[in-house]
Amino acid sequence: IYYYRATVYENMKDYEKAISDYNKAIELKPNDDTYYYYRGLIYQIIEDYNKAIKDFKTAMELDPLDDDYPGKLGYLFAEIKKDYSTALSYFIKAAELDNNDPISWHNIGIIYSDDLKDSNNALKYFMKSIKVDSTYVKSYYKIASEYQEKIKDNDKALEYLNKAIEINPNNDLIYYARGMFYETIEEY
């Protein structure tokens, strides 16, 4: 009952009461990974990142086969802690647990691209992302960025921007990116 009430409090944005009820749920069932995970999400919302990390780690220890837990840890280590090697290891674990999740492969590519400045590995993982989901537009965009900005292959960059538009013709950000691309190469 504490778990259900905690979710109600969470939906009402009464995070203090939600945490209190998750604490009670954990006291009653300390081996239920779900309670730690949801309490960790609340800690993340209220920006108590160390407690969020602790809860996600506990959830992962209790259920090492759930790919959400290493994915959340990867995000926190990349975006909050700026510890990219630790983030990378968690994103790799998430991808290994669910090979068909384009987001995990994409996140690995982001670490290689933005943080480790390794275009070859970035492209490798963005390509894996679109291999498992050929409609994952974010990876097409990042592939185009790698080709344009780092590899300096404008033809390949345009190819991937066009593929992204073909997949999702209603995505105005991709049109904007293509417009910026044309401006960069001074093709008006």
Side-chain angles (χ1 to χ4, degrees):
I1 188 162
Y2 291 111
Y3 167 76
Y4 295 110
R5 192 169 70 182
T7 60
V8 170
Y9 285 135
E10 184 177 354
N11 289 332
M12 295 170 48
K13 299 188 184 336
D14 190 340
Y15 301 123
E16 188 176 314
K17 287 182 181 175
I19 289 170
S20 176
D21 274 359
Y22 281 126
N23 290 341
K24 291 175 186 168
I26 288 169
E27 284 176 32
L28 294 172
K29 288 180 76 178
N31 293 323
D32 191 323
D33 57 293
T34 307
Y35 303 153
Y36 292 96
Y37 176 70
Y38 284 106
R39 186 176 69 181
L41 290 174
I42 292 174
Y43 284 134
Q44 185 176 342
I45 290 168
I46 64 172
E47 300 179 358
D48 192 339
Y49 299 117
N50 289 329
K51 287 183 180 176
I53 287 170
K54 183 179 178 194
D55 274 356
F56 293 145
K57 283 182 175 180
T58 302
M60 193 168 79
E61 288 170 11
L62 293 170
D63 184 359
L65 300 179
D66 191 317
D67 65 304
D68 286 336
Y69 307 152
K72 286 290 184 190
L73 285 163
Y75 170 80
L76 288 172
F77 276 97
E79 297 299 317
I80 306 303
K81 297 289 188 179
K82 306 297 185 204
D83 179 350
Y84 303 115
S85 61
T86 301
L88 183 61
S89 69
Y90 281 120
F91 285 139
I92 289 171
K93 181 164 183 58
E96 289 170 348
L97 289 170
D98 184 358
N99 284 321
N100 294 316
D101 179 14
I103 296 169
S104 295
W105 297 116
H106 181 81
N107 287 338
I108 294 168
I110 295 263
I111 295 290
Y112 276 114
S113 172
D114 297 354
D115 306 311
L116 301 178
K117 309 299 184 209
D118 180 345
S119 288
N120 290 331
N121 274 316
L123 282 172
K124 173 183 166 183
Y125 288 103
F126 291 139
M127 293 292 189
K128 277 190 176 190
S129 175
I130 62 173
K131 184 176 180 182
V132 299
D133 182 352
S134 63
T135 66
Y136 196 68
V137 172
K138 289 180 179 181
S139 287
Y140 285 95
Y141 170 75
K142 288 299 286 182
I143 291 168
S145 292
E146 288 296 312
Y147 277 120
Q148 180 187 6
E149 297 168 14
K150 297 175 185 166
I151 298 173
K152 307 298 184 202
D153 185 338
N154 289 333
D155 291 337
K156 279 287 198 189
L158 184 58
E159 175 186 334
Y160 281 94
L161 286 171
N162 287 336
K163 282 182 185 179
I165 289 171
E166 183 181 313
I167 291 165
N168 188 348
N170 297 320
N171 187 325
D172 57 337
L173 293 176
I174 299 297
Y175 284 100
Y176 176 77
R178 188 171 67 178
M180 295 303 295
F181 167 80
Y182 281 128
E183 181 181 20
T184 302
I185 63 170
E186 297 180 354
E187 189 174 310
Y188 307 101

